[in-house]
Amino acid sequence: MEGLTLSDAEQKYYSDLFSYCDIESTKKVVVNGRVLELFRAAQLPNDVVLQIMELCGATRLGYFGRSQFYIALKLVAVAQSGFPLRVESINTVKDLPLPRFVASKNEQEPRPAASYSSDSENQGSYSGGVIPPPPGRGQVKKGSVSHDAVQPRPSADQQEPASPVVSPQQSPPTSPHTWRKHNRHPSGGNGERPLAGPGPFWSPFADSQSGSAAGDAVWAGHSPPPPQENWVSFADTPPTSTLLSMHPASVQDQTTVRTVASATTANEIRRQSSSYDDPWKITDEQRQYYVNQFKTIQPDLNGFIPGSAAKEFFTKSKLPILELSHIWELSDFDKDGALTLDEFCAAFHLVVARKNGYDLPEKLPESLMPKLIDLEDSADVGDQPGEVGYSGSPAEAPPSKSPSMPSLNQTWPELNQSSEWETFSERSSSSQTLTQFDSNIAPADPDTAIVHPVPIRMTPSKIHMQEMELKRTGSDLTNPTSPLLVKPPDLSEENKINSSVKFPSGNTVADGYSSSDSFTSDPEQIGSSVTRQRSHSGTSPDNTAPPPPPPRPQPSHSRSSSLDMNRTFAVTTGQQQAGVVAHPPAVPPRPQPSQAPGPSVHRPVDADGLITHTSTSPQQIPEQPNFADFSQFEVFAASNVTEEQDGDAEKHPEVLLVEKASDPASSLRVAKTDSKIEDKTAASAPANMSKGTTPLAPPPKPVRRRLKSEDELRPDVDEHTQKTGVLAAVLASQPSIPRSVGKDKKAIQASIRRNKETNTVLARLNSELQQQLKDVLEERISLEVQLEQLRPFSHL
Amino acid sequence: MAVCIAVIAKENYPLYIRSTPSENELKFHYMVHTSLDVVDEKISAMGKALVDQRELYLGLLYPTEDYKVYGYVTNSKVKFVMVVDSSNTALRDNEIRSMFRKLHNSYTDVMCNPFYNPGDRIQSRAFDNMVTSMMIQVC
């Protein structure tokens, strides 16, 4: 390079600058970063800077040696003076004022911190002060932030301004101090503190930083970044160092643990800030640091930091409590006394800013709002003064906390409904209840479709019954039974014969209930109706649980019964009985347990009575007509459900099935008592059926046949038939009995064996029926209670 | 549009008191102080019932010719006293209630701040801002 002649002042100045930039103390080469900063501070257009760099040879060399540096400085002065940049100008321009570096010349480093400053005023002051170099020349300190105004006054006074400017260089590390000094010093222009150079400063800095040697174009002659204090004590790293160097000493106390660590992040900040950076934006590095700190307090990143822990943590920063309190107010967005990760980062950021001397904003800056903390998406708020009181961003954080709510809410109705449903089924005593239930559940929530297949229907018993009828006929079994279908698995096991099965299953369920009811409420019509309703309830999924197990539709029974049912239903209001009759093919006579005179037969007979009654069975065994019926009945047991359905609901076909011979007698008895009550019949029927079915695999066919016949018989025979049906069913398996009589010994013995088997079967059935009876009684009681409750209303 | 707003702690010392500077503030302070007696009286009167049943809003404590004083007590016996100008007839009871509600909410926010020690004077800027918004702007 050409020889460079410097005046004394210049010499001094330049050497100071050099030492300033020479953070590595190489005495030879200055750090590029620093140099860039410096140049930026000179407030020259980027191209000028580039030109300077080129001229001085730095570009060529790739670094700034002392000579290059001096030349560069000289060129800066030239440029600032408005002279064209020429290599020769360095020496030719006379009386060149010292290059002026605004703000931060001395403390180049803090510039990066400018992001925080965001003081528009500063900016303004800077620009005002610095921009027009020539005019400004005279004034050493143009109000700009500090430093700089090193007017190239050849006069001695220049020295002075220079010196103050220079001095900081000597202690670059203590930028904050120097900064402050300058601050006051320069007069005023900046009244603002350190926050000088908001965004714009930032960006150029950052960019230049990142760009390092080459890229600094961003310089863009922004007003020099205000001498920001070191953002956080970041270690100076060549590329970005200058900005960050938060010297431990400089920062107010440095005691905070944070400072050191954050230094690096500060670099990041700077680096990241783009031209329109938000001074409050958090860089990735910073964010990462914050997150790490967050983890030390609260390992779960989605969790909260309680207020007390946060208080301790932030108290370590040695900020005054009042300020910490204010920071808290700003950052605790949802005012819950705890900090989420975002809130914590915002608070941390604010603390760091504060420590660097930036004033706290009145409102939370937009970039710090929860959810907006991550920079990348920062809007252009760089120009805003530090306090970007945007608060524009809606409180997104809070809303985010609520998303889970709706889902929770949704589950509720389901639960409620399902529970309702269940309970309802159990209880469904009156049609009124049913309807209510209906309204409650049903359509309410598609989700609630929940468990039960077709919650909807709980129509009044009548409808239900009708439906059952329909079903029986083999028509759509969709409705009420559908739920039953799903529900009473146990019931349906045997029922699933066909579509009709559905109905039966439903019936069984219902019947189960009804049957129980029937048991309890014998003679009453209500009971029957109740039972009917029961059937509805049976549909509820719950059936299985509650006392009367859903009546098991007898597969075979259902088929045949469907037809029969129709008839029976149509015929009998009594429902159950009709149903009963219909159901158990083997028990046609029985189906109307309620009416059947058979009751007596049923009960005592259990084993036998049943048999005796079944009209159908008679053919089978004179002595044990029941047997015959049993067999049939058993077959029907499964299908009995359907019976019951028609009749009255579910007697308990399922009950029977479930309990099996729990109470054959009881069922029968019930049937007897409730002549009208379908359920009884149903109950008995199911009981019978169950008995029949469980022990044996009653041949469906015969049962069906019987059922039909039974239907016809129905009214009285029902009960008996039921019983007999059961027995018949039992016996069905032993069709040979009657024959055996007439046969030879072998046959007799065989028949004896069979009879014994039948006995055992019946005994089992008996026990089952007994259980069913109990259940039914319970149900009955509950139904009665409900009835009582409802009665007053109905009478109103 | 209150003229003076005060927050009194349970032990009856002020946590926060602010009035529009148009007039002699001391007078307002005095009014607030005297109104505390009325507040206590009201509290004790209702105190026979369970605290839960006691309503937080106390209503008009006592009117003077120039001003009306309203009171509000929280469940932790922190009292809010508000002095409004009598000439401001537009203020209805509901509005007073809503103002107290806002005060209460802001006070709660201050309490949530871990850096705030109960019993300290309230120095929260947010609280100040809120109170300012409620104070009458008498130039």
Side-chain angles (χ1 to χ4, degrees):
Chain A
M1 288 273 148
E2 325 44 351
L4 182 64
T5 54
L6 299 174
S7 65
D8 287 349
E10 285 177 343
Q11 181 72 31
K12 188 169 186 319
Y13 187 39
Y14 291 171
S15 66
D16 285 339
L17 282 175
F18 188 83
S19 6
Y20 174 79
C21 292
D22 186 14
I23 48 177
E24 292 175 347
S25 303
T26 59
K27 301 283 189 284
K28 288 288 170 57
V29 179
V30 283
V31 177
N32 281 353
R34 283 290 172 87
V35 173
L36 292 174
E37 268 182 88
L38 192 65
F39 289 160
R40 256 194 240 114
Q43 296 180 327
L44 295 174
N46 280 356
D47 51 340
V48 172
V49 172
L50 286 172
Q51 198 177 2
I52 290 172
M53 285 172 62
E54 194 181 353
L55 283 176
C56 74
T59 355
R60 187 164 41 85
L61 292 175
Y63 60 87
F64 276 99
R66 190 172 279 271
S67 56
Q68 281 81 36
F69 188 74
Y70 287 138
I71 292 169
L73 290 175
K74 190 83 175 177
L75 288 171
V76 167
V78 167
Q80 284 179 342
S81 308
F83 293 98
L85 282 180
R86 298 262 159 59
V87 175
E88 52 280 349
S89 62
I90 49 177
N91 283 331
T92 53
V93 177
K94 298 288 188 275
D95 293 342
L96 196 61
L98 286 176
R100 223 168 348 136
F101 294 96
V102 178
S104 57
K105 179 176 51 94
N106 306 325
E107 35 192 18
Q108 314 270 336
E109 19 179 327
R111 239 158 283 122
S115 61
Y116 283 107
S117 60
S118 69
D119 284 354
S120 52
E121 300 126 34
N122 275 343
Q123 266 177 333
S125 62
Y126 282 123
S127 348
V130 176
I131 300 281
R137 204 175 295 194
Q139 301 106 15
V140 174
K141 321 151 186 210
K142 279 238 188 122
S144 61
V145 184
S146 37
H147 338 289
D148 83 284
V150 183
Q151 297 307 325
R153 253 180 257 123
S155 61
D157 56 343
Q158 220 174 28
Q159 304 279 347
E160 286 160 32
S163 51
V165 175
V166 171
S167 57
Q169 290 179 0
Q170 280 144 12
S171 59
T174 58
S175 52
H177 298 211
T178 53
W179 187 83
R180 291 217 195 84
K181 232 187 308 182
H182 288 292
N183 220 351
R184 293 185 217 126
H185 171 114
S187 62
N190 308 309
E192 299 308 319
R193 283 221 327 190
L195 296 190
F201 293 155
W202 246 142
S203 43
F205 249 116
D207 285 41
S208 64
Q209 287 302 330
S210 37
S212 68
D216 340 296
V218 192
W219 215 359
H222 286 270
S223 48
Q228 305 187 356
E229 302 195 354
N230 296 329
W231 190 70
V232 179
S233 55
F234 293 110
D236 288 331
T237 57
T240 57
S241 60
T242 52
L243 298 176
L244 302 180
S245 59
M246 165 143 181
H247 314 278
S250 58
V251 180
Q252 286 122 27
D253 287 331
Q254 233 13 202
T255 49
T256 43
V257 176
R258 287 201 289 272
T259 50
V260 176
S262 43
T264 46
T265 51
N267 273 340
E268 278 309 325
I269 301 176
R270 231 96 28 72
R271 219 174 303 155
Q272 303 276 345
S273 56
S274 48
S275 52
Y276 41 90
D277 242 2
D278 173 14
W280 292 103
K281 206 188 302 192
I282 299 183
T283 64
D284 284 344
E285 235 178 68
Q286 290 174 312
R287 185 151 180 86
Q288 190 52 46
Y289 180 72
Y290 298 155
V291 172
N292 292 339
Q293 290 293 315
F294 183 92
K295 283 190 197 151
T296 62
I297 306 176
Q298 162 71 279
D300 176 17
L301 288 183
N302 288 326
F304 292 89
I305 289 186
S308 48
K311 176 177 177 176
E312 278 177 42
F313 183 81
F314 286 113
T315 308
K316 285 191 269 180
S317 71
K318 305 263 193 307
L319 285 179
I321 295 288
L322 183 58
E323 297 191 8
L324 288 174
S325 172
H326 187 62
I327 288 174
W328 176 277
E329 268 181 14
L330 289 176
S331 59
D332 188 6
F333 205 73
D334 47 7
K335 300 276 181 271
D336 60 356
L339 296 181
T340 63
L341 182 59
D342 282 345
E343 291 172 351
F344 177 83
C345 289
F348 207 132
H349 205 60
L350 287 169
V351 170
V352 168
R354 192 79 184 102
K355 291 203 73 96
N356 278 290
Y358 294 105
D359 282 333
L360 293 178
E362 284 300 319
K363 284 192 190 183
L364 191 65
E366 193 180 65
S367 59
L368 291 182
M369 291 217 176
K371 256 222 46 172
L372 297 187
I373 286 224
D374 285 321
L375 44 166
E376 296 352 318
D377 47 54
S378 74
D380 177 284
V381 294
D383 305 326
Q384 293 295 331
E387 341 248 281
V388 178
Y390 270 178
S391 71
S393 73
E396 286 171 339
S400 64
K401 290 184 190 168
S402 55
S404 59
M405 297 301 293
S407 56
L408 283 177
N409 292 338
Q410 294 206 351
T411 57
W412 285 107
E414 284 193 11
L415 293 175
N416 290 341
Q417 297 200 0
S418 59
S419 60
E420 271 181 84
W421 223 65
E422 309 250 341
T423 52
F424 185 78
S425 64
E426 295 191 42
R427 233 192 271 210
S428 68
S429 45
S430 65
S431 57
Q432 288 173 355
T433 318
L434 284 174
T435 41
Q436 288 168 5
F437 186 68
D438 225 354
S439 58
N440 289 344
I441 316 186
D445 190 349
D447 296 345
T448 35
I450 349 176
V451 221
H452 311 308
V454 180
I456 4 181
R457 253 322 177 353
M458 298 322 265
T459 51
S461 57
K462 272 196 205 159
I463 300 177
H464 186 73
M465 298 305 288
Q466 288 167 6
E467 286 173 351
M468 292 206 294
E469 255 182 84
L470 288 177
K471 290 206 202 126
R472 301 256 184 78
T473 53
S475 59
D476 58 328
L477 295 180
T478 49
N479 339 2
T481 57
S482 52
L484 292 180
L485 281 181
V486 178
K487 254 349 211 147
D490 52 344
L491 298 178
S492 49
E493 351 167 340
E494 293 151 352
N495 300 337
K496 304 288 188 267
I497 295 189
N498 50 19
S499 58
S500 60
V501 172
K502 286 192 233 160
F503 184 65
S505 60
N507 275 341
T508 54
V509 174
D511 289 348
Y513 285 104
S514 59
S515 54
S516 59
D517 289 339
S518 61
F519 282 140
T520 54
S521 56
D522 305 29
E524 300 161 333
Q525 274 296 303
I526 298 176
S528 63
S529 61
V530 166
T531 54
R532 218 172 310 145
Q533 289 156 0
R534 263 310 149 129
S535 57
H536 297 299
S537 62
T539 56
S540 68
D542 200 302
N543 293 340
T544 52
R552 273 176 244 110
Q554 310 283 341
S556 61
H557 168 74
S558 57
R559 257 203 307 258
S560 57
S561 62
S562 59
L563 298 173
D564 295 333
M565 300 293 187
N566 263 342
R567 244 172 313 144
T568 44
F569 258 113
V571 177
T572 57
T573 56
Q575 326 87 20
Q576 301 166 350
Q577 296 158 358
V580 172
V581 177
H583 294 298
V587 193
R590 212 200 349 221
Q592 306 303 337
S594 54
Q595 302 124 353
S600 57
V601 178
H602 295 289
R603 284 303 164 221
V605 176
D606 287 0
D608 300 297
L610 292 175
I611 300 175
T612 53
H613 281 296
T614 43
S615 56
T616 58
S617 62
Q619 48 187 294
Q620 297 178 352
I621 304 175
E623 45 184 67
Q624 291 178 329
N626 296 346
F627 275 119
D629 283 347
F630 248 121
S631 54
Q632 295 173 348
F633 208 72
E634 282 177 346
V635 174
F636 274 108
S639 57
N640 207 13
V641 177
T642 53
E643 257 187 5
E644 296 184 7
Q645 289 168 350
D646 356 322
D648 85 76
E650 20 289 307
K651 283 287 204 74
H652 296 285
E654 59 270 14
V655 171
L656 296 175
L657 288 176
V658 171
E659 318 208 346
K660 270 326 170 154
S662 60
D663 235 345
S666 59
S667 60
L668 293 174
R669 219 177 301 129
V670 171
K672 282 186 287 187
T673 50
D674 299 348
S675 56
K676 332 167 211 161
I677 300 172
E678 305 80 13
D679 46 4
K680 284 192 208 153
T681 53
S684 57
N688 296 333
M689 293 191 291
S690 58
K691 284 185 222 170
T693 51
T694 46
L696 311 170
K701 291 175 195 172
V703 174
R704 259 178 249 129
R705 263 175 293 144
R706 291 202 199 103
L707 179 61
K708 283 185 196 167
S709 56
E710 285 176 4
D711 282 345
E712 292 150 13
L713 298 178
R714 231 204 337 213
D716 298 341
V717 184
D718 292 345
E719 284 186 3
H720 301 286
T721 53
Q722 280 180 351
K723 290 185 215 155
T724 54
V726 173
L727 293 173
V730 174
L731 295 175
S733 59
Q734 307 160 7
S736 64
I737 292 178
R739 282 169 296 205
S740 63
V741 175
K743 298 234 169 111
D744 55 6
K745 282 187 183 175
K746 274 190 185 174
I748 292 170
Q749 286 166 357
S751 66
I752 289 171
R753 270 197 309 278
R754 279 191 294 270
N755 287 340
K756 284 182 185 166
E757 289 166 3
T758 309
N759 282 341
T760 53
V761 166
L762 289 173
R764 269 190 303 236
L765 186 58
N766 185 22
S767 57
E768 286 177 4
L769 287 173
Q770 289 288 348
Q771 265 183 355
Q772 285 179 3
L773 173 64
K774 286 176 203 157
D775 295 335
V776 169
L777 285 171
E778 286 173 10
E779 259 194 38
R780 180 200 177 179
I781 292 169
S782 65
L783 286 171
E784 281 178 347
V785 168
Q786 285 179 0
L787 179 65
E788 283 305 316
Q789 289 169 354
L790 291 167
R791 190 173 284 154
F793 298 122
S794 60
H795 291 335
L796 286 176
Chain B
M1 307 334 117
V3 183
C4 169
I5 290 176
V7 179
I8 316 292
K10 179 176 175 183
E11 292 80 13
N12 287 335
Y13 61 85
L15 294 175
Y16 180 89
I17 182 162
R18 188 148 140 231
S19 33
T20 53
S22 61
E23 207 170 290
N24 190 358
E25 295 197 32
L26 193 60
K27 181 176 123 190
F28 290 128
H29 290 210
Y30 180 71
M31 283 175 77
V32 169
H33 186 76
T34 55
S35 66
L36 290 179
D37 281 336
V38 186
V39 171
D40 280 342
E41 182 190 323
K42 284 198 187 270
I43 294 178
S44 61
M46 293 197 274
K48 288 164 201 166
L50 295 175
V51 176
D52 299 335
Q53 299 171 11
R54 178 163 56 81
E55 197 184 295
L56 303 181
Y57 176 68
L58 299 176
L60 184 65
L61 297 178
Y62 71 90
T64 63
E65 69 276 11
D66 290 331
Y67 301 102
K68 297 199 193 76
V69 183
Y70 291 91
Y72 181 97
V73 184
T74 68
N75 284 326
S76 56
K77 298 286 197 307
V78 173
K79 308 162 186 73
F80 299 102
V81 177
M82 189 188 311
V83 181
V84 301
D85 202 337
S86 289
S87 57
N88 191 347
T89 55
L91 274 179
R92 292 200 312 272
D93 195 56
N94 278 342
E95 292 173 17
I96 304 284
R97 281 178 194 264
S98 69
M99 286 163 76
F100 273 126
R101 206 173 308 124
K102 282 199 312 193
L103 264 175
H104 197 172
N105 287 338
S106 295
Y107 177 73
T108 309
D109 289 342
V110 168
M111 277 304 205
C112 280
N113 190 331
F115 297 101
Y116 171 77
N117 301 315
D120 293 349
R121 298 190 70 91
I122 296 177
Q123 285 156 323
S124 152
R125 283 189 228 175
F127 191 82
D128 282 342
N129 294 340
M130 192 272 310
V131 169
T132 309
S133 70
M134 283 172 34
M135 303 265 278
I136 202 168
Q137 302 301 325
V138 176
C139 304

